[in-house]
Amino acid sequence: MLQVAVVGSGPSGVYAAQSLVQQDRVPDVRVDVLDRLPCPYGLVRYGVAPDHEKIKSLQNNLRTVLEHERVRFLGSLEIGSGALTPARLLGLYHAVVYCVGAAADRRLGVPGEDLPGSCSATEFVSWYSAHPDALTDGYAQDGFVRDVESAVVIGVGNVAVDVARMLVRGAAELLPTDMPDAPLGVLAGSGVREVSMVGRRGPSQARFTTKELRELGALPDTEVVVDPAELALDPAYTDPSGLPAASRRNVEVLRGWAERPTRGLARRLRLRFFLRPVSLTAGAAGRVALTRFERTLPDGEGGVTGSGQYEDIPAQLVLRSVGYRGVPLEGLPFDADRGTVPHAAGRVLRDGAPSPGEYVAGWIKRGPTGVIGTNRPCSKETVQSLLDDAPALARRQLPEDPLTALRAAGLCPVEWPGWLAIERAEADLGRSLGRGVVKIPDWEGLREAARGVPGR
């Protein structure tokens, strides 16, 4: 029997587990999917916007894998320092596949970036998505948008679109989601009237998908405003026929908005291009009040150059969404320049040589690129490498059941019945509030719910 640990229960981890138990090269494979949180599904649970029910339904597909007879979910296990180092983990399993994502945000690197009211889009997403770590952040107390009339989102990818959309959502659209009452109430009562989503390059280079972009045009009582002069700075704007299909569709949507007359609706969502942030300035209360941008121009080589012309945009909230970086996991090698674990076809490299039994998949392997589905071929490549190595790996003697050894080390993982108990508790919470399922937002609440396993 080949015993494999997969660290991370998001899409890349679950796809790795699925590839392992559905292949027939090594018929007897047992997979433990480990996670730091007591809840599975990773960014599908804590990163997909709550109003994107269709994408969140991917949890049902991931659930099928985690309920496979040869797959076991073990939550609330911190990998790294302490009792469960990578070396210790490799002593319990023939192979370990790390699928730990890219948890850190890239910074702007401009003066004023750390002012109150300036933060990462990920912090905002964690707050409204009820990630238990969010309650350790001061923003959980002020709700991000208190006393905010104007917000700036720096970035033009799908996460930027998500947070911009959530800033102008109304109570009627948020109530059916699984968002906890606290952020729901704050957002529903928000005074935000203007959101600017700003990119340093042009519309043909924006990274949002057309489907996400079009959703902005369907928001109730919200007017999407696009400056045709900014679009025209893009050399591909006049004739987008040479662009990839997705970029061409984006340009067509933006052109339609630019040509539409203003309608004077309650809220405005401005899509801005060719502006690079250079500084954030505080107001009288010490909170960010102004963001200064430099106008950029195409450099003819796919990049941009500064023009020396500047524009100030008032904002009491600035959310940066300019990409992610992997973070080092103590005990694993790490490429600080790329923000990934060095590897060859998924095999972890230590001092340039494959480390027997250690593998990576997902963003920590390839960097923060692609969509959820991109993780499937990425994980499959890693699993193929693991299976090629399996004859040698399986010769190593292991404890009969890693879970017994974990418990003997004083660890108390949340198993699948504990997660089902959390699901029941969240359904009960929603019913008590007259809503559907509502997430439990704090560590203690999740742990207490997990202990509510029938028969315990």
Side-chain angles (χ1 to χ4, degrees):
M1 177 170 56
L2 186 71
Q3 302 228 61
V4 180
V6 172
V7 180
S9 65
S12 62
V14 176
Y15 291 152
Q18 183 180 41
S19 294
L20 283 163
V21 296
Q22 288 186 348
Q23 54 78 37
D24 54 13
R25 289 176 57 189
V26 181
D28 194 6
V29 179
R30 307 280 171 161
V31 182
D32 285 349
V33 178
L34 282 54
D35 204 287
R36 185 176 72 90
L37 298 172
C39 310
Y41 311 135
L43 283 178
V44 177
R45 176 175 166 90
Y46 288 118
V48 174
D51 61 341
H52 272 178
E53 294 183 7
K54 185 174 181 179
I55 302 176
K56 288 177 74 68
S57 68
L58 176 62
Q59 292 182 18
N60 296 327
N61 298 335
L62 303 182
R63 182 191 196 100
T64 300
V65 178
L66 293 174
E67 290 182 334
H68 190 281
E69 61 182 358
R70 287 187 282 122
V71 176
R72 183 167 55 182
F73 173 73
L74 301 176
S76 286
L77 290 176
E78 183 87 40
I79 312 298
S81 59
L84 204 49
T85 63
R88 172 63 173 152
L89 200 58
L90 198 56
L92 301 177
Y93 295 90
H94 292 110
V96 182
V97 184
Y98 292 93
C99 306
V100 293
D105 293 271
R106 293 187 181 276
R107 294 176 57 83
L108 300 174
V110 302
E113 184 173 7
D114 294 319
L115 284 170
S118 168
C119 55
S120 72
T122 297
E123 291 174 290
F124 185 55
V125 171
S126 293
W127 171 68
Y128 66 62
S129 295
H131 195 294
D133 286 347
L135 286 182
T136 64
D137 192 293
Y139 287 109
Q141 304 304 318
D142 69 16
F144 284 93
V145 298
R146 186 164 297 146
D147 300 324
V148 173
E149 294 183 0
S150 178
V152 166
V153 179
I154 299 175
V156 284
N158 278 347
V159 174
V161 172
D162 279 349
V163 298
R165 189 180 67 253
M166 294 301 294
L167 282 169
V168 296
R169 277 289 193 199
E173 301 104 69
L174 295 175
L175 192 62
T177 72
D178 59 10
M179 186 185 297
D181 266 13
L184 186 149
V186 170
L187 289 174
S190 164
V192 175
R193 292 294 174 263
E194 182 154 310
V195 177
S196 298
M197 189 169 73
V198 186
R200 66 184 178 88
R201 296 193 292 179
S204 68
Q205 297 167 310
R207 295 186 137 188
F208 40 63
T209 59
T210 309
K211 180 179 182 297
E212 291 258 3
L213 180 64
R214 284 176 174 149
E215 287 182 5
L216 299 178
L219 292 169
D221 302 318
T222 301
E223 186 165 29
V224 179
V225 179
V226 183
D227 184 349
E230 286 186 346
L231 299 184
L233 291 174
D234 193 326
Y237 176 68
T238 303
D239 180 14
S241 60
L243 292 173
S247 299
R248 186 171 64 250
R249 289 192 294 267
N250 286 343
V251 169
E252 290 169 353
V253 171
L254 292 167
R255 176 182 283 115
W257 287 336
E259 295 172 350
R260 187 172 61 186
T262 58
R263 294 176 290 168
L265 299 180
R267 294 182 293 266
R268 288 179 300 278
L269 181 52
R270 298 185 181 274
L271 302 184
R272 306 293 308 276
F273 298 96
F274 292 110
L275 291 173
R276 175 169 57 200
V278 294
S279 66
L280 280 65
T281 304
R287 184 183 177 106
V288 66
L290 202 70
T291 306
R292 170 159 289 189
F293 293 88
E294 181 184 16
R295 168 67 65 195
T296 61
L297 297 170
D299 63 5
E301 299 179 357
V304 292
T305 186
S307 68
Q309 299 179 334
Y310 297 88
E311 177 180 342
D312 293 336
I313 300 180
Q316 302 81 48
L317 175 65
V318 177
L319 299 174
R320 68 177 183 273
S321 180
V322 291
Y324 300 93
R325 282 183 56 82
V327 296
L329 183 64
E330 188 172 343
L332 275 186
F334 188 71
D335 183 336
D337 292 334
R338 296 174 57 87
T340 59
V341 172
H343 72 94
R347 295 180 177 93
V348 171
L349 299 178
R350 291 183 181 270
D351 299 323
S355 177
E358 293 187 307
Y359 304 85
V360 285
W363 278 5
I364 199 63
K365 170 187 173 184
R366 68 180 191 274
T369 61
V371 294
I372 289 176
T374 311
N375 290 294
R376 190 181 292 277
C378 174
S379 295
K380 186 174 182 179
E381 178 195 51
T382 295
V383 167
Q384 290 304 310
S385 294
L386 191 160
L387 294 174
D388 289 342
D389 302 339
L393 297 174
R395 287 196 290 266
R396 189 160 53 88
Q397 295 297 311
L398 298 177
E400 185 173 342
D401 185 356
L403 180 55
T404 302
L406 292 172
R407 288 174 174 157
L411 300 171
C412 300
V414 172
E415 299 179 65
W416 193 251
W419 159 242
L420 296 181
I422 292 173
E423 281 193 319
R424 288 193 297 272
E426 292 184 337
D428 291 343
L429 175 60
R431 278 191 292 271
S432 72
L433 298 170
R435 299 173 54 196
V437 171
V438 172
K439 286 181 184 172
I440 296 170
D442 61 288
W443 279 102
E444 186 52 41
L446 290 169
R447 291 181 181 123
E448 182 179 350
R451 288 192 289 266
V453 177
R456 296 185 86 178

